[in-house]
Each structure stands twice: as C-alpha cells, then as structure tokens.
Amino acid sequence: MHGYDRADIDAIERHGPLGHPTDIRKVIDAYPYDFDWRASYAIKSVRASIHSPKITCIDSAIFSYGLLELYFPTTPRKLLALHRRDPQGEECGHCVTLYWVNGKVGAFSKSSFEGLGHRDPVYASPTDVAMSYAMAYVKMAFKPLYFGVASLEEVAPDIDWRRSPEALNVLSERLQARYEFSFGQAA
C-alpha cells in the first residue's frame, strides 16, 4: 500500500469505489479548492491531501498521481505543468496529472477557473492536452506561456511526495525547471 495506512485508504474510499482510473475524479472533486493558497503556500503530499479540508491544483496533481500509483499501477501517468500571464501581468502556474487509457491521454485537475478542470482521456498526446488548457486560458484573456511534462519519480526522487507531513514547495521550482515548450503564437 506504499506506506498508506487504513485511515488513509478509508478516507479515499469514502468517496466510492475506484474501479477505473477515471473514478479518481470523484475523489478530487470531493475536496474544495483552496482559494486562500497565497496566504500560506504549502504544497502537500498525497497523505497530507487525503486528510486536508482543501487542496490546490498542484496538491490535486500530486494526489491523483499517487492514487493512480496506488489503485491503477499499470496506468501510465505524468504531471503537466503550465505557466500563464493574466491581463494584469501576474504570472502563475497550473499543474495537472496526465494519464493514459487505451492509448489516449486525459487529465485530472483542480482549479478555481472554469475551463481548467479535468480532461477526458480522448487526446492523442500530452501536447494536445496542454493546448486544450491554453485555449481555456485564451478564453479568459490570459496568455499561455510555457509547459512541460515530467514524472514525480524524475523531478522528486529525493522527496517523499507520498507521505511527507512537510510542505513540498520545492516541487514547484522543479516542475518549472521542466518547462520545455512554449505556446508561442499558437495560442
């Protein structure tokens, strides 16, 4: 069980059975978005999110990534980190978990913005998923800037992203360091 205890599993499964990877949505959707994340920014591990009253996008990404590992270990998964600029010039990121079902890519996402939620596994590639989020940004008059795809095993081999009680804020920097693609003029 990757070090999760019965209380962890019970807290996850109170949202219903997880029989298919897409069922992870109902777990993520059961947690309210943490609108006050700027006041005390602290990226949570899977276990910390399980027992948290609210989560952010990156918490959701780590959480759903861990749920895929725990319940559907053969389902390929990666994190997609995106960066944008709003009309006032503020830059901010968004992070989702990509997952593959029958060769198609979907995403688990938590956001305070309409259009930045989950994506069904219907996309041909991670770039196509990233472009769907870029188009949502454009509809909000935001400028999509960059994105990158990585696994937690690649960016955090030295961090206990599964069970740590400590804030994992260094993950944000490590994911940003993986921005490999620019949205350029396409969006």
Side-chain angles (χ1 to χ4, degrees):
M1 289 193 338
H2 295 284
Y4 301 107
D5 62 27
R6 187 75 250 163
D8 299 332
I9 301 303
D10 289 346
I12 294 165
E13 293 179 354
R14 75 173 179 245
H15 306 294
L18 297 175
H20 188 270
T22 55
D23 292 337
I24 289 172
R25 284 181 181 201
K26 64 186 169 191
V27 177
I28 299 304
D29 290 346
Y31 290 79
Y33 184 79
D34 185 357
F35 287 96
D36 198 28
W37 61 269
R38 285 182 173 95
S40 58
Y41 187 67
I43 297 172
K44 298 173 190 69
S45 68
V46 175
R47 176 177 278 154
S49 288
I50 290 169
H51 300 289
S52 179
K54 300 176 193 171
I55 58 176
T56 63
C57 71
I58 195 165
D59 298 333
S60 167
I62 296 164
F63 191 8
S64 54
Y65 190 95
L67 291 177
L68 283 168
E69 177 186 57
L70 181 61
Y71 287 89
F72 308 100
T74 62
T75 299
R77 64 195 183 280
K78 296 273 187 174
L79 294 183
L80 167 64
L82 305 114
H83 205 76
R84 56 83 174 163
R85 182 180 307 121
D86 72 15
Q88 292 74 41
E90 179 188 44
E91 291 189 18
C92 193
H94 184 53
C95 190
V96 305
T97 298
L98 300 174
Y99 65 100
W100 282 255
V101 173
N102 298 325
K104 296 293 186 178
V105 188
F108 297 118
S109 177
K110 189 77 168 176
S111 179
S112 61
F113 293 105
E114 190 172 325
L116 296 185
H118 306 298
R119 298 293 191 263
D120 289 330
V122 297
Y123 295 88
S125 70
T127 299
D128 291 343
V129 176
M131 287 304 296
S132 78
Y133 286 108
M135 293 293 103
Y137 279 139
V138 169
K139 286 181 182 177
M140 293 183 278
F142 289 12
K143 180 171 178 53
L145 300 172
Y146 316 104
F147 72 97
V149 176
S151 71
L152 279 171
E153 290 80 6
E154 293 168 332
V155 298
D158 58 327
I159 295 173
D160 184 5
W161 52 267
R162 293 174 186 94
R163 295 170 305 278
S164 178
E166 305 298 321
L168 306 177
N169 293 2
V170 68
L171 286 178
S172 179
E173 298 164 17
R174 291 182 183 185
L175 288 168
Q176 287 178 43
R178 298 300 293 257
Y179 289 159
E180 299 176 82
F181 307 101
S182 171
F183 286 108
Q185 301 304 318

